[in-house]
Amino acid sequence: MAEHRTMQRGALLDAARSLLSEGGTEALTFPALAERTGLARSSVYEYFRSRAAVVEELCAVDFPVWAAEVEDAMAGAESPSGKVEAYVRKQLDLVGDRRHRAVVAISASELDDGAREKIRAAHGGLVAMIVEALAALGQPQPRLGAMLLQGVVDAAVRRIELGAAEDPADIAEAAVTMALHGVTGRQA
């Protein structure tokens, strides 16, 4: 019985990822979840009390996976600037990943305070990974620098998600250049 419930919960989360990827948080409704999973709407409420509860669980499950992939990419870099580049590139590479698209939709949505706090904490963990590399590069305020760097990444992610005129590879190059060399794009 417990295994069956776990499978149904997993199916609901998978359906939620698909709905978020396809239509953002507006698409994430209990009737849509019920339709996607073949469960009765009342059954969906047995697993999640609200849309925010679905989002919170997705954050708990998907953000750590995403962060681990970014951390692995950074671990393969040999220099602080290589770590910054890996941090930016890996997040932008993950835009095509369905889990990542769900995370992007979640991050952009209007949610209750509990869900927003979980998202902030998850983003905080991601930002914390890059602080040391920024300090090694001589950034005088590495924590602030890390938050601003994540803002560049988030803007690039949104640009790719929107299907902007620029090629995603060009957006990634511009984001890496901005991260490493600022708005001039030139090395000092």
Side-chain angles (χ1 to χ4, degrees):
M1 185 68 180
E3 188 176 321
H4 180 68
R5 286 189 63 78
T6 302
M7 283 175 55
Q8 285 189 327
R9 189 177 204 87
L12 284 165
L13 289 175
D14 214 37
R17 284 182 194 99
S18 294
L19 290 165
L20 284 164
S21 295
E22 293 161 16
T25 47
E26 302 78 41
L28 180 60
T29 65
F30 279 32
L33 284 171
E35 184 181 326
R36 287 280 169 107
T37 56
L39 294 171
R41 197 183 313 183
S42 58
S43 296
V44 177
Y45 283 99
E46 289 176 29
Y47 292 91
F48 298 103
R49 70 188 182 286
S50 66
R51 207 166 62 142
V54 177
V55 167
E56 285 181 34
E57 183 138 345
L58 279 174
C59 285
V61 172
D62 290 353
F63 264 114
V65 173
W66 177 29
E69 291 184 40
V70 173
E71 196 166 23
D72 285 350
M74 289 173 63
E78 296 185 8
S79 66
S81 60
K83 288 186 186 309
V84 170
E85 181 170 352
Y87 178 85
V88 173
R89 281 194 194 282
K90 187 61 180 180
Q91 288 188 69
L92 298 180
D93 286 348
L94 290 171
V95 172
D97 183 302
R98 204 160 50 97
R99 284 173 321 216
H100 183 77
R101 286 201 307 269
V103 165
V104 171
I106 288 167
S107 298
S109 64
E110 294 300 313
L111 299 165
D112 68 27
D113 289 343
R116 268 203 309 276
E117 189 48 49
K118 282 201 169 48
I119 291 166
R120 266 196 299 277
H123 271 291
L126 198 58
V127 164
M129 287 194 277
I130 199 65
V131 171
E132 188 179 327
L134 293 177
L137 286 170
Q139 169 56 246
Q141 295 181 310
R143 177 101 186 123
L144 175 59
M147 287 185 267
L148 296 175
L149 173 59
Q150 187 59 43
V152 169
V153 173
D154 291 344
V157 165
R158 278 192 302 277
R159 198 100 193 120
I160 292 169
E161 284 284 314
L162 288 169
E166 305 91 1
D167 184 87
D170 292 340
I171 295 170
E173 283 306 314
V176 167
T177 300
M178 176 78 69
L180 293 174
H181 308 297
V183 293
T184 65
R186 291 188 302 270
Q187 291 180 295

